[in-house]
Amino acid sequence: MAQKVVLKVLTMTDDKTKQKAIEAAADIFGVDSIAADIKEQKLTVIGSMDSVAVVKRLKKVGKVEMISVGPAKEEKKEEKKEEKKEEKKEEKKEEKKEEKK
């Protein structure tokens, strides 16, 4: 099962340290995608990897804090629910138009 690990890398202040953090996370088996934000010093790693292994590897780059660990598909479920609600509204509108005719 894929999981989403959000970390705060306190030493990630410029492009050089950002690249080092991304390369360190990319070496871990099971990582699917990596996103880095220098302003917030956040590194988001998605995949079927061990979250402890991610932290251990990134500690070699600098000081790391784990913010959250959770399922990777959390956002997609919310989007699907919204789409279903919109489809139901459209179907009701179409039914009302047909009834009026």
Side-chain angles (χ1 to χ4, degrees), residues 26-54:
D27 287 341
I28 299 167
F29 180 78
V31 173
D32 295 331
S33 67
I34 303 167
D37 183 17
I38 294 177
K39 288 183 181 179
E40 296 182 18
Q41 295 180 327
K42 286 187 179 179
L43 189 74
T44 305
V45 185
I46 299 173
S48 57
M49 70 286 170
D50 184 19
S51 57
V52 176
V54 175

Side-chain angles (χ1 to χ4, degrees), residues 55-84:
V55 174
K56 277 187 176 181
R57 184 68 57 93
L58 287 170
K59 277 190 175 182
K60 293 178 182 176
V61 175
K63 192 171 181 181
V64 179
E65 292 179 4
M66 188 178 289
I67 296 173
S68 68
V69 179
K73 297 181 182 179
E74 185 176 341
E75 295 172 10
K76 292 181 181 178
K77 288 180 183 177
E78 291 175 7
E79 290 174 7
K80 287 181 182 178
K81 286 180 183 177
E82 289 175 10
E83 288 175 6
K84 286 181 182 178

Side-chain angles (χ1 to χ4, degrees), residues 94-101:
E94 289 175 7
E95 287 176 6
K96 286 181 182 178
K97 287 180 182 178
E98 289 176 8
E99 288 176 7
K100 288 179 181 178
K101 290 181 183 179

